[in-house]
Amino acid sequence: SIKMDLLHSNGVLIIQHLQRDYRAYQDFLNFMSHVGDPRNIFSIYFPLWFQLNQVVGTKMIWVAVIGDWFNLIFKWILFGHRPYWWVQETMIYPNQSSPCLEQFPITCETGPGSPSGHAMGSSCVWYVMVTAALSYTVRWKDKSAVTLHRLTWSFLWSIFWIIQISVCISRVFIATHFPHQVILGVFAGILVAEAFEHTPAIQTASLRMYIKTNLFLFIFALGFYLVLKLLDIDLLWSVPKAKKWCANPDWINIDTTPFAGLVRNLGALFGLGLGINSEMFITSCKGKNSCKISFRILCIAASLATLQLYNFVKIPTHTEYLFYILSFCKSAAMPLTVVAFVPYCVHSLMRTTEKKLN
């Protein structure tokens, strides 16, 4: 406990230093925190990569969902505090002289802080993207191509670490994580992504397998929560702390609670399984148009544009259980749109155009 308090106090000093010396970069750091938001995986990275390479897109969703599930379990086990409430409750500062940490609209996360979900989600997904990009160059055999591969390798991994470091600094800057929490998140994300590099079975998974996986993840997490609750251990202990010490009550969002993230991810995995095993996907993405560059570009543009419309769908938050149900449905609809609806519509449009030209 004393060692952890020292770790936290040193982390507070780092946060104060960042907030004092990096004021000019505030907008950039807030932006990088948004870049690391796991929700971007489903609305930006996935629709882009799935239309370019279905294997990579499928792996991305699995890595994101399983990684975030592990993140939830780790958070429940580690009981990590967040800086913006820890400084208000710790007794290590004499005479009530606790440090003043500035808060922002994205500071008031309600779940436990360790490991960082943003850092973990960002590292695992960018790891998938970088390794996927490098897989195209590793097959080059001639001498000049090998040199180009090495340069590409150095460039992409440099970009990877620049992004991860920027996301980590941004999460520390807004006082929602201690430094050790973001570092743990980055390396945990890499481990999850690397594990899926050796799990080819996800590419041929049936809808039944998707449903079984969803049920296992949900039942395990719920069972873990209920068992510890019976032992008088409240895994939602962080929610009242967030509500108490957040500078602005409007910054508290039910979407940041532990179960909200679980439901959102399970919905995305179910939507992916439903889409990949649908007739629309087989007709469009497995047909002759699927090899055309024009088909893929149209699918990317239509998918990105359509998914932005989901941002305008506001789920009511007055009833918690209704929020979880609607959140599951909304999350399932997003990959289903990318995998089945949009490609089928583009395929039908292209087929109609070809018939008219003939």
Side-chain angles (χ1 to χ4, degrees), residues 199-214:
T199 314
I202 60 174
Q203 303 298 336
T204 56
S206 63
L207 180 58
R208 180 177 293 182
M209 180 58 68
Y210 277 91
I211 294 174
K212 285 181 178 179
T213 303
N214 257 21

Side-chain angles (χ1 to χ4, degrees), residues 209-228:
M209 180 58 68
Y210 277 91
I211 294 174
K212 285 181 178 179
T213 303
N214 257 21
L215 288 174
F216 170 79
L217 296 178
F218 178 73
I219 291 172
F220 186 97
L222 182 62
F224 187 70
Y225 169 78
L226 293 176
V227 167
L228 291 184

Side-chain angles (χ1 to χ4, degrees), residues 330-341:
K330 179 181 176 180
S331 298
M334 294 176 73
L336 189 60
T337 298
V338 174
V339 172
F341 291 154

